[in-house]
Amino acid sequence: MCLPLMLHRNRTRAFIAGTIERRGRELRALHDAENADMSLPALLVDRLLLPVIGAPLFIVSNPDLVIAQCKAGIVGAFPALNARPPEQFEAWLARIDDELAAHRAAHPGARVAPYAVNQIIHPSNDRLAHDLAACRRHRVPIVITSLSAPHDVVPVVHDWGGLVFHDVISVRHARKALEAGVDGLILVCAGAGGHAGGVSPFALVSEVRRFYDGTIILAGAITRGEQVLAAQAIGADLAYIGTRFIATHEANAAAGYKQMIVDSTAADVVYSNLFTGVLGNYLRGSIVDAGLDPDRLPQADKSTMSFGSGGSARSKAWRDIWGAGQGVGSIDAVLGAAEVVEVLRRDYHQARARLAASGA
């Protein structure tokens, strides 16, 4: 065999061997990444099909939505205050417990996610003690706390073996929550639906990771599977998705609300504190329908916030002024919650595969 041909064949074999070795490394890295639990607490390890928590949506989240989310393999969550009157709250917990237990028994190999209850930590919430006692009786797996740091709530939840994740919009709030002993931080960044911060997720995740290596859940305009992957890439463990689940069959939202989600884009989202006293994102169309000018909204007095069992005229605005995040432009249809999760999961894994194939 002539020397040039031998050299060519050797180079070809070396190239093929190198390609196979490189692809093997990529596939191993992909497998490791898909099966890594990052900073997840033991309660969530091997319990999720997708690293997502369905955010608790005021009025919108109900047992139907939570159960569907958990069965689909993501954490489903709802605000305790959605169950009215207060006695209804325990009935909701019992139904969720029973239906998820039955589903696990019928599908022993399935990953059925735990659920979470959102508690508002504010002096006006006169239901907190009542609702927390019900959570104790049902050993609710995860309690999501909002507003004030949950110093008094954390030891109670830990006593029954539950986890506490706390909403924060700044480094200062994150440090206060960690001082209270929470198990994870929900970083509510710019673009999130409902009550939201104004800091970029790139900035806030990076700053929090400088002093905290525990569980981080990222919120802010996440409506697609590739965005869930992006959240992990910048240092979060889980994505927090709310707006996408408003446009689902199970959600307790008016048909007009769901359709407005589908029809809107980021330009149709308005940031204001008028409606609850806390800055949040709302759909421009719903503000116009209420007879207000979305470009000339006055500022509200934060001291008048009320989250009690009777609510207030301002808190009832959520029924007429519809919250949504800046990710609405990626929502094209009203679907079942399980189908939404399946699309998110498909897009998440396709994004992983694209990155692996590109050598990124």
Side-chain angles (χ1 to χ4, degrees):
M1 184 181 297
C2 65
L3 183 59
L5 182 58
M6 290 178 60
L7 291 174
H8 173 72
R9 287 185 176 178
N10 287 340
R11 284 195 296 269
T12 301
R13 291 192 187 102
F15 173 77
I16 293 173
T19 300
I20 292 173
E21 182 181 356
R22 184 173 63 256
R23 184 58 178 158
R25 288 198 302 268
E26 291 170 352
L27 291 173
R28 286 192 296 274
L30 177 60
H31 177 273
D32 291 344
E34 289 176 339
N35 291 277
D37 293 309
M38 301 180 76
S39 306
L40 293 183
L43 176 69
L44 295 176
V45 174
D46 295 328
R47 298 284 300 277
L48 305 178
L49 280 177
L50 193 66
V52 167
I53 293 176
L57 304 164
F58 189 52
I59 297 177
V60 171
S61 296
N62 60 9
D64 289 343
L65 180 57
V66 170
I67 291 166
Q69 289 171 325
C70 293
K71 286 181 178 179
I74 70 168
V75 175
F78 72 98
L81 294 174
N82 279 11
R84 295 174 187 266
E87 295 73 26
Q88 186 70 19
F89 179 56
E90 190 137 18
W92 282 21
L93 294 178
R95 181 188 164 197
I96 293 169
D97 286 337
D98 291 346
E99 292 201 25
L100 292 183
H103 188 75
R104 290 188 187 99
H107 304 85
R111 291 193 177 189
V112 183
Y115 69 95
V117 171
N118 178 216
Q119 300 284 6
I120 303 296
I121 313 300
H122 189 268
S124 67
N125 183 9
D126 55 3
R127 279 184 48 173
L128 181 58
H130 168 276
D131 292 347
L132 202 57
C135 287
R136 177 194 286 276
R137 287 190 292 274
H138 289 266
R139 303 178 70 86
V140 168
I142 303 167
V143 172
I144 294 171
T145 52
S146 302
L147 296 183
S148 299
H151 292 277
D152 296 330
V153 172
V154 169
V156 176
V157 177
H158 285 175
D159 186 58
W160 78 67
L163 299 173
V164 179
F165 296 153
H166 187 68
D167 287 348
V168 302
I169 61 171
S170 68
V171 167
R172 181 173 67 86
H173 291 150
R175 291 187 184 277
K176 285 187 174 182
L178 293 176
E179 289 171 2
V182 301
D183 302 287
L185 297 172
I186 302 170
L187 307 189
V188 187
C189 296
H195 294 159
V199 181
S200 161
F202 293 100
L204 192 53
V205 172
S206 178
E207 289 192 31
V208 171
R209 275 296 182 217
R210 288 176 177 266
F211 58 85
Y212 178 60
D213 61 1
T215 303
I216 287 180
I217 304 107
L218 181 62
I222 301 174
T223 57
R224 297 178 60 87
E226 56 265 41
Q227 295 162 355
V228 175
L229 181 60
Q232 289 183 306
I234 65 172
D237 301 289
L238 301 165
Y240 205 56
I241 300 180
T243 300
R244 184 59 192 92
F245 288 102
I246 298 172
T248 58
H249 300 309
E250 295 87 350
N252 181 36
Y257 188 179
K258 296 179 183 182
Q259 190 59 47
M260 192 175 288
I261 291 283
V262 172
D263 294 339
S264 296
T265 67
D268 299 310
V269 176
V270 177
Y271 193 53
S272 172
N273 74 345
L274 174 63
F275 307 108
T276 66
V278 179
L279 282 166
N281 285 309
Y282 303 91
L283 289 172
R284 175 178 292 270
S286 69
I287 298 172
V288 172
D289 289 346
L292 300 172
D293 183 346
D295 297 317
R296 292 179 174 82
L297 296 176
Q299 294 294 306
D301 181 0
K302 188 175 180 180
S303 66
T304 62
M305 288 190 301
S306 177
F307 299 94
S309 55
S312 68
R314 176 172 290 154
S315 66
K316 289 184 175 64
W318 284 82
R319 295 190 178 277
D320 304 308
I321 308 295
W322 296 332
Q326 292 176 356
V328 288
S330 297
I331 301 171
D332 300 321
V334 178
L335 304 172
E339 188 175 358
V340 169
V341 174
E342 182 54 36
V343 171
L344 289 169
R345 187 165 176 259
R346 180 200 67 200
D347 292 347
Y348 173 84
H349 287 291
Q350 286 179 351
R352 277 198 181 281
R354 285 197 301 272
L355 288 176
S358 69

